[in-house]
Structure formats: C-alpha cells, structure tokens
Amino acid sequence: MTNQAALKQTPLNATHRELGAKMVDFGGWDMPVNYGSQIEEHHAVRSGCGLFDVSHMLPLDIRGANVRAFLRRLVANNVDKLQVSGKALYSCMLNEAGGVIDDLIIYFMDENWFRLVVNAGTAEKDLAWMEKMNADWDMGLTLTPRRDLAMIAIQGPNATQALNEALPGVDSITANLKPFNAAAMGEMFIARTGYTGEDGFEVMVLAKSAPFFWRALMEAGGKPIGLGARDTLRLEAGMNLYGQDMDDTTSPLESGLAWTVDLKTDRDFVGRKALESSEITRQLAGLLLLDKGVLRSHQKIITKHGEGEITSGTFSPTLQQSIALGRIPLGIAPGEVVEVEIRDKKLKAKVVKYPFVRNGKILIA
Amino acid sequence: MNIPANLKYTPSHEWVRVEADGTLTVGITHHAQDLLGDMVFIETPATGRTLAKGEECAVVESVKAASDVYAPVAGEVIAANADVEASPESVNKDAYSAWMFTLKPANAADVAGLLDAAAYQKLVESEAH
C-alpha cells in the first residue's frame, strides 16, 4: 500500500491515530478520511459541532510596503474590497491564459501584512508563482510559508459554544466576529470561515499547541470529522474543490466563480485579457439525481445542447439523494432534466441552483 | 478481523455460503465494507441471469466510491435480496447477513476452487502491507 515514511504529517497526526482514524494518502499527506462513519460525521456538523484538521493547507504571510499593489495584480478578485483589518476575501489566482492556478482566501491585517491560505496540493506551485511575480514586478515583498502553524476548523451550529468553552477569553472575539472576518489573539488567528455551509471558525495555532487544543475542543463537544465528510459537506454547500471543479485549464467564468472575478474596475490582473477575449460556452451547474444511484466525477452528462461532465458527485447525507456539480453547455436552465451515463445506464438528473444545503437547511426543491 | 470459518471467499472480497441444497449465497466481506465505508446504493442482479465466473453482477456504492461485485463461480441467479437494496447500510451493520444474491452453480465442483477462511485472512493481511 502507501509508503508511510514518504507522507507528510500534520501536527495532529498522532492524535488522529489515537482516535482510531482511518488514514489515507491525500495528495502526499497522511490524513484522516473518517473516524468511523462518514455519514454520522456529516450529520454531526449539520446538527452540532465538528472538528477538522486542515493543517495540510498552507497559511502564507506576505509582508512589505507593496502587498496591496501586489495582490491587486496577482488575483482575480479585488483586494480593495478589504479595508477593515481582519476582513477576508475569496479569490482565484489565474495564469495568463485565464486558467485557475489556485483558489485561496486572503486576510487583510494591515497595509504591510496580508495572510493567505492556499490549498495543500498546490502550495509549492503557488509559492513559486508568487515569488516569480514578486521578482518580475520588483515588489520587494517577503513571503513566509507558515508551516509552524496548525489549522483546525470548528464547524456547525454549536461551533461558537465549543470554541468559547475550549479557549478561555475567546468569547470577546467570537461575540463580535462577523462571517468572513478574522482576528489575531496572541499567537492565535481566529477566522469566521469554513468549507461546510455552516457557521464556524478556522483557527490557526502554533503546531505544538494543536493536540492540546484539539482535545479541549473535543471536551467542549466537538466531534472529529474526516476528509470524507468534509467533501460531502462542501458539495452540499455548493463550494468548489480545486483540481475537480476547476484547475489550470478551466476559466473561473465556466466554474461558477464569476462572482469572485472583478471585471468592473479597470484593474489589470493576470489572466484578465484572456478572460475578456475568450467566449464562454459552458457553466457549472448543480445536479440532483432523480433515479437511484450515485453521481461521480467524470460521468458524462447529456443535454439538449450537447454533452457535459460531472466534476464532483456524491451521495448527499442531508438530502438522502445523490447530488453533483457538473460542467454543461450554456442555455440549460435550472428545472430542466438531463441524463447522466452511469455504467451502462442513462439516469435522469434535474439541473438545480446550488448551494443544496446551508445552515442545516435544504435549499433546493 | 471478522472472517467466519464456515464461509468460503474470493480474492475480490465476496463471501460465499454453500447451502444444504448446493446453491450459493453471496455477499461482500466485512473487510470489503470496511474499506468502502458507509453504503448508500446497492444494485443486485436480475434473477434468472446466467453468470460466468468473475462476471460483474452487482454494484455496491459507498458514500466514497463505487465497487463491482463479481460472480464467485459460473451459475444462474436464483434470488436477489431486495432488502439490501432498500437498506444499503445493512452491509455495514452485518456484512455476513446482508447477502446480495443466491446462485445455482453450473458445476458444483467449482466451489472447491474458492478460498477458505484461513486463505482469505492471509490475502487480506498481504494486501494491508
């Protein structure tokens, strides 16, 4: 099977093993896929509070006098939306062809310090790209990968209560922290963000403190959640997964991410020219399987305007039905029924507006 | 590891129970369901269907992945378990009572070619390393 020695480990690796997690090779990281039942973990996040080790993702501090100018050119969303310290922005970082190098979160702390969080599998590629741009544009910035930090996501309707209980003194922060905002608390960094469609936090702590913090969160009612449920939760919440729903070869405008691309201002950013000169022919759509079965990535979608492909598919524990995101031709509207090829069958699926689930509630008819 | 001594096994992780009348009851092993995780969809073969040894004849899908179930020997499908289709999670609860289908073997002697519990245990252990 996998060569354990070659896999990277988060500061919580031993904790996951003590908790009996099933560990898998996730893009070179030794990560928990579940601690027993993936479906029970999914429901625990929708109804209570779940804990996720997301330390494989990379926090990256960018410091210097020109950070804002750098990010204005580097990413497709507009960092000028960030004017209050702690405010976060979701954005794609594009290549010259308008393909997505990565999707990331940018936290504005002060004019000399922005913190980014990038995906695990793309971290090295991202860092190399940013360093190249830093040099090409003569920005003189310092980019510091923060592998000394662990990151724990605390998600669900009881997330605030669990965090307040596990971390004395944090209640003064959680009481005032709005969604998509962050605050520093000593060495810790507390962001009201997540990847589940529920209220919650992503908290960065020094790696050495992570196991103790994790146990405290468990004592406060947080249940450990593996990457399996992380995927079903984010798909129900209609959130893209890099490498599946978009990558270096796809436009954000054909990936359901037009809302993150700022073309209103005349700001020049990498990939803008390509986006503005290319024709959009496809869209990312939500699908609800009407027949029995499970939608999976790469299955063929057949529509009246041509073929498409499932980018992410799963069984939704909340809907008790299979759901997917798929890239299909333009002109297919929500409510229309398409076919999906599963093995030797063509099954019926309805195109729906996503997200499928938010804050524990089913949003689609 | 949960590998009952009274059953036969295949290298593709099906269990087989030889009934008194010579028919075979087939399911997937505890180890197989453990690898796949929470089951959410099962499709069993049509009764009367004739199967070659190793033919794909049922599908089990967990929340994580789809997996085929193969015919342990050649034969004809006598019955399929509608209960397991209605409650896929029963495979996670007890893999050895959640049978998928029964098979009348084309040659009763083929059963001798299946693995016994000790041989299957060895196979599972070898795959874990």
Side-chain angles (χ1 to χ4, degrees), chain A residues 281 283 301-308 328-333 336 338:
Chain A
T281 61
Q283 59 177 328
I301 306 167
I302 301 154
T303 80
K304 64 182 183 188
H305 292 322
E307 288 177 358
I328 60 172
L330 284 183
I332 308 291
E336 290 190 42
V338 298

Side-chain angles (χ1 to χ4, degrees), chain B residues 32-82:
Chain B
Q33 68 78 31
D34 188 50
L35 287 179
L36 285 163
D38 293 323
M39 294 295 171
V40 294
F41 175 75
I42 292 175
E43 190 176 70
T44 58
T47 55
R49 183 172 155 194
T50 305
L51 301 173
K53 178 182 190 280
E55 188 175 337
E56 295 169 6
C57 58
V59 177
V60 292
E61 295 212 31
S62 70
V63 68
K64 201 161 70 185
S67 182
D68 290 308
V69 180
Y70 303 94
V73 298
E76 184 192 334
V77 178
I78 304 297
N81 187 359

Side-chain angles (χ1 to χ4, degrees), chain A residues 21-230:
Chain A
K22 185 171 288 180
M23 306 296 284
V24 294
D25 176 353
F26 182 76
W29 288 84
D30 187 40
M31 298 297 288
V33 65
N34 63 59
Y35 301 79
S37 165
Q38 177 176 333
I39 289 179
E40 283 172 22
E41 289 171 20
H42 181 107
H43 292 314
V45 174
R46 291 270 179 255
S47 63
C49 175
L51 309 177
F52 305 74
D53 178 11
V54 287
S55 307
H56 57 312
M57 298 180 76
L58 180 67
L60 178 64
D61 284 335
I62 307 185
R63 291 179 187 270
N66 297 319
V67 196
R68 187 182 288 276
F70 176 68
L71 293 172
R72 260 191 214 121
R73 287 176 73 175
L74 185 77
V75 302
N77 209 339
N78 191 351
V79 289
D80 287 339
K81 292 173 186 170
L82 303 177
Q83 295 298 334
V84 179
S85 178
K87 183 81 183 116
L89 183 74
Y90 172 77
S91 181
C92 289
M93 179 167 73
L94 306 179
N95 56 34
E96 291 291 354
V100 183
I101 297 173
D102 200 6
D103 65 335
L104 40 85
I105 291 181
I106 300 166
Y107 297 97
F108 164 60
M109 301 314 289
D110 62 52
E111 287 302 334
N112 292 294
W113 174 30
F114 285 65
R115 173 169 286 183
L116 277 56
V117 177
V118 305
N119 281 304
T122 50
E124 283 172 33
K125 175 183 79 167
D126 292 355
L127 198 54
W129 174 262
M130 289 183 211
E131 284 291 14
K132 182 177 184 299
M133 294 302 129
N134 183 27
D136 286 359
W137 299 337
D138 201 16
M139 290 285 180
L141 301 170
T142 309
L143 279 62
T144 311
R146 298 298 305 271
R147 280 288 170 219
D148 57 321
L149 297 178
M151 185 154 53
I152 297 172
I154 306 142
Q155 302 279 301
N158 298 341
T160 305
Q161 185 195 325
L163 180 56
N164 286 348
E165 208 174 306
L167 192 62
V170 80
D171 49 348
S172 62
I173 288 177
T174 56
N176 301 306
L177 201 59
K178 293 195 183 77
F180 245 67
N181 278 270
M185 176 177 160
E187 306 261 31
M188 302 180 83
F189 186 90
I190 296 144
R192 199 158 208 151
T193 49
Y195 198 45
T196 61
E198 298 297 325
D199 184 25
F201 303 87
E202 290 174 308
V203 177
M204 296 173 212
V205 297
L206 286 175
K208 62 180 181 193
S209 313
F212 178 80
F213 183 43
W214 180 275
R215 292 287 182 180
L217 287 163
M218 283 182 68
E219 276 171 35
K223 289 185 81 77
I225 312 294
L227 292 178
R230 182 168 164 81

